Amino acid sequence: MLIGGLQKVSLIDYPDKICAIIFTKGCNFKCGFCHNSGLVLFDKQQSTIKEEKIFEFLEKRKKRLDGICITGGEPTLQKDLPEFLNKIKKMGFLIKLDTNGTNPEMLKKIIKKKLVDYIAMDIKAPFSKYENITGAKVDLNKTKQSIKIIMNFSDYEFRTTIVPNLIKEEDIVFIAKQIQGAKKYFLQQFVFKEKMIDEKYKKIKPYSKEILEKMCNKAKKYIKIVENR
């Protein structure tokens, strides 16, 4: 596993759970507004956190943490992800996986082996805008497969980062239709940070709460639980 970071505790990344976050390196998307540019555009010569260090930490936190959130980058690019998750599972932790949905085969594998308890998939945009927003060539058939797989899973959420100039009110309606009948959909407020893949996003002001709430209400016509973050 290429591990680029560890956050020892989080109260918000795994719903209703206290978790640690493990950040994997590498991503097949190059979203300009991504906060984790160091994980996406990493140099293979850069140091990584050794797995044994991760498991030493987890061993000490068995009674303090409910679960582990695996995020990135894009975790499903890691070929040894199932083995890594299995080790965490054997320690008694719940596992949440964050994914962009480009690897349905890996999702099927870890679900079949019962190596994940909660899945959060980012829906980047309406399908017609996917390549423009992700900065990458996208196999939408795989994205659609992942949506279907996740919607048949026990506990999950879909989410979209609402970036002004990229995502508009009508886009949220299209996305909601793409995942109509899903359990939960979250609209995530765009927040600019110092280190982003594309520097121009530092100058963009987030939408107001009123606009986000309006988008949220539009999506509720297709999905029961829709909330802003």
Side-chain angles (χ1 to χ4, degrees):
M1 289 284 290
L2 292 175
I3 301 171
L6 170 66
Q7 184 175 322
K8 295 183 178 180
V9 65
S10 171
L11 303 177
I12 60 173
D13 285 86
Y14 195 143
D16 303 317
K17 301 288 187 289
I18 300 171
C19 74
I21 307 173
I22 297 171
F23 297 86
T24 63
K25 286 189 172 185
C27 187
N28 47 354
F29 285 173
K30 299 294 182 289
C31 306
F33 53 89
C34 181
H35 293 167
N36 293 331
S37 58
L39 298 172
V40 175
L41 306 174
F42 77 99
D43 184 335
K44 290 186 178 180
Q45 301 301 315
Q46 291 176 354
S47 61
T48 57
I49 300 175
K50 293 182 179 179
E51 285 188 30
E52 49 263 39
K53 292 293 183 182
I54 296 293
F55 291 112
E56 285 175 11
F57 164 77
L58 294 181
E59 187 65 38
K60 297 175 182 177
R61 295 297 190 276
K62 280 184 176 181
K63 296 181 180 180
R64 300 181 184 179
L65 298 173
D66 301 313
I68 309 300
C69 175
I70 311 293
T71 189
E74 174 49 41
T76 64
L77 296 179
Q78 308 284 331
K79 293 182 179 180
D80 52 349
L81 180 64
E83 291 77 13
F84 185 70
L85 297 183
N86 188 46
K87 291 177 183 177
I88 295 174
K89 267 288 172 190
K90 286 182 176 179
M91 299 179 79
F93 293 106
L94 296 170
I95 295 176
K96 172 180 177 275
L97 176 73
D98 291 347
T99 182
N100 62 21
T102 54
N103 194 342
E105 295 81 10
M106 179 63 80
L107 288 176
K108 288 178 185 176
K109 184 182 293 185
I110 63 175
I111 288 172
K112 184 177 181 179
K113 293 184 177 182
K114 298 181 178 180
L115 298 176
V116 64
D117 301 283
Y118 191 100
I119 301 174
M121 178 178 166
D122 289 301
I123 307 288
K124 299 294 184 180
F127 293 143
S128 61
K129 288 187 172 183
Y130 241 78
E131 293 191 357
N132 179 53
I133 287 179
T134 62
K137 198 74 177 173
V138 182
D139 185 340
L140 288 174
N141 286 325
K142 289 191 173 183
T143 303
K144 293 173 184 178
Q145 284 179 47
S146 293
I147 289 172
K148 187 175 181 179
I149 290 167
I150 292 169
M151 286 182 68
N152 285 301
F153 188 60
S154 57
D155 208 2
Y156 66 89
E157 68 181 56
F158 294 106
R159 58 199 189 182
T160 300
T161 300
I162 311 301
V163 185
N165 302 330
L166 291 184
I167 300 295
K168 300 178 181 179
E169 186 176 317
E170 59 265 30
D171 294 325
I172 294 303
V173 174
F174 278 114
I175 294 171
K177 288 180 178 179
Q178 289 167 188
I179 57 172
Q180 186 169 357
K183 285 185 177 181
K184 290 176 285 187
Y185 181 41
F186 293 98
L187 307 187
Q188 299 185 148
Q189 176 68 282
F190 164 74
V191 179
F192 62 88
K193 291 192 176 180
E194 283 304 310
K195 292 184 178 180
M196 305 183 90
I197 289 180
D198 190 333
E199 296 291 310
K200 73 180 181 184
Y201 288 97
K202 290 183 181 180
K203 300 177 182 179
I204 293 178
K205 292 183 179 180
Y207 281 128
S208 67
K209 290 183 179 180
E210 290 75 18
I211 291 176
L212 283 181
E213 193 60 37
K214 189 176 180 181
M215 290 181 174
C216 190
N217 289 333
K218 291 277 187 179
K220 284 180 180 177
K221 294 180 181 179
Y222 307 94
I223 302 162
K224 187 174 182 180
I225 298 175
V226 183
E227 295 178 3
N228 293 321
R229 281 179 175 162

